Amino acid sequence: MDDFKVIDNYLCVKLPEEVDHHKSAYISENADKYILREQVSNVVFDFEDTRFMDSSGIGIIMGRYKKIACFGGKVFAIHADRQIKRILHMSGLHKIIEIME
Amino acid sequence: MIEIKQKEMVAVQGGGSMKNEMALEFDAVSTNESFARVAVAAFITPLNPTVEELADVKTAVSEAVTNAIIHGYENVYGYGRHGELKPVHVKVQEGKVYIRCRIEGDILHIEIEDKGIGIEDLDKAMEPLYTSKPELERSGMGFAFMEAFMDDLEVESKPLVGTIVRMQKKLGCSNFIQGEE
């Protein structure tokens, strides 16, 4: 599976074109599997291919944040387009995760 | 099962006033979430919405339809592909989600209805970050997003009868800007 990659201490999750409730369980459950198995402390969400996200995406990010934050891990968002950034800001997630270009 | 009825289409030349209506009815399963928002997006393209407006409408529709499916009918997992982690004991509840869209001039009206369990405490449900299903990692931002992305939001719900979400948005501000130039 190419969507989940472990590089050093980071799990990189490549999100699909559309992130909604239908896809969210698959993404969350797989991400958790990697976090546990590879013992990574940070998670990077890559929005390169993502053109749509609703509040289910917020749930995915928030859930992973809760899992790793207590061990000092960090969550990053990369390649987010304008619409995704709007949603991240509107939900207040930008205060707890790092949004990078 | 998906039914599409294009009821009426009258486009009046000049003045840009336009009237158009459509209704959709589909099974309350998560596979149809993307169908619903894409269908509504396609319906409103004659109004020349901006990329941002289109994304706003899609997000709002997605939130409302997802709510209808997972809260109204409690279909947490729909049928269809759901990764290899799909629980085997899932039972899909029978139910339909109804969408009615109406364009009047440059205003879009959307009605999303389910005949599910309804909402007992509407004020609480509409509170940002409140979710009745925290175990599903729902963020509780659904109604907040609908409110933020649309101009007007109205929710009508009766326990054990169902829920209707009505939304409104003025579209085609790009036309307006182009006209100014």
Side-chain angles (χ1 to χ4, degrees):
Chain A
M1 212 170 353
D2 301 334
D3 299 342
F4 301 89
K5 264 190 204 132
V6 176
I7 304 162
D8 295 334
N9 204 8
Y10 293 83
L11 170 66
C12 188
V13 182
K14 185 126 194 180
L15 293 167
E17 197 179 334
E18 304 210 304
V19 181
D20 61 4
H21 152 249
H22 179 64
K23 303 250 174 71
S24 66
Y26 173 78
I27 299 165
S28 300
E29 283 161 16
N30 272 298
D32 285 352
K33 214 168 66 186
Y34 278 85
I35 292 170
L36 212 69
R37 199 175 68 196
E38 311 283 341
Q39 297 286 310
V40 291
S41 43
N42 306 298
V43 179
V44 180
F45 289 99
D46 186 349
F47 288 93
E48 193 174 9
D49 299 335
T50 309
R51 294 288 155 268
F52 175 87
M53 182 172 92
D54 65 13
S55 69
S56 313
I58 304 299
I60 297 174
I61 299 173
M62 228 147 72
R64 307 293 75 67
Y65 174 83
K66 280 183 194 156
K67 289 227 158 68
I68 60 169
C70 48
F71 303 108
K74 271 188 156 180
V75 177
F76 302 86
I78 56 169
H79 299 134
D81 66 17
R82 234 174 99 209
Q83 190 62 24
I84 311 268
K85 275 187 194 148
R86 256 180 93 202
I87 289 181
L88 293 176
H89 278 265
M90 207 177 271
S91 59
L93 269 189
H94 65 288
K95 288 175 189 158
I96 56 169
I97 70 169
E98 219 159 299
I99 302 168
M100 303 197 296
E101 287 310 310
Chain B
M1 215 215 349
I2 290 162
E3 247 181 74
I4 306 175
K5 286 175 238 156
Q6 194 115 19
K7 272 189 188 160
E8 196 184 339
M9 183 150 171
V10 189
V12 185
Q13 291 281 311
S17 77
M18 178 174 174
K19 203 172 165 283
N20 196 3
E21 250 181 63
M22 71 99 161
L24 292 175
E25 179 185 332
F26 51 86
D27 280 359
V29 285
S30 65
T31 22
N32 283 336
E33 287 158 11
S34 69
F35 161 73
R37 61 176 180 262
V38 171
V40 174
F43 178 69
I44 64 171
T45 42
L47 285 177
N48 286 324
T50 60
V51 178
E52 204 160 89
E53 286 170 342
L54 205 59
D56 288 355
V57 171
K58 277 171 86 174
T59 310
V61 169
S62 190
E63 300 295 349
V65 170
T66 305
N67 276 353
I69 294 170
I70 65 174
H71 297 292
Y73 295 111
E74 301 190 289
N75 276 337
V76 173
Y77 295 89
Y79 52 55
R81 284 170 298 130
H82 207 55
E84 63 269 44
L85 294 150
K86 182 184 167 189
V88 276
H89 55 269
V90 204
K91 195 173 142 235
V92 174
Q93 300 234 38
E94 294 278 321
K96 305 268 186 214
V97 179
Y98 308 84
I99 299 185
R100 290 177 289 276
C101 285
R102 202 171 75 242
I103 294 169
E104 265 169 27
D106 51 4
I107 312 269
L108 167 71
H109 303 260
I110 307 177
E111 241 182 67
I112 296 170
E113 183 182 359
D114 68 73
K115 299 193 191 321
I117 59 163
I119 304 167
E120 245 165 67
D121 189 342
L122 204 54
D123 289 332
K124 194 157 193 195
M126 291 183 75
E127 236 169 65
L129 298 176
Y130 170 78
T131 175
S132 57
K133 293 198 169 20
E135 72 280 8
L136 292 178
E137 295 193 329
R138 304 300 306 162
S139 60
M141 296 295 290
F143 279 124
F145 276 13
M146 285 182 238
E147 232 168 357
F149 288 128
M150 304 295 279
D151 295 341
D152 193 51
L153 171 71
E154 218 176 273
V155 186
E156 192 186 311
S157 189
K158 241 189 208 161
L160 303 175
V161 177
T163 305
I164 304 178
V165 175
R166 291 193 187 91
M167 302 184 279
Q168 260 184 55
K169 190 177 177 70
K170 191 173 153 69
L171 293 176
C173 292
S174 59
N175 276 347
F176 185 65
I177 294 161
Q178 275 165 8
E180 296 254 296
E181 277 173 353

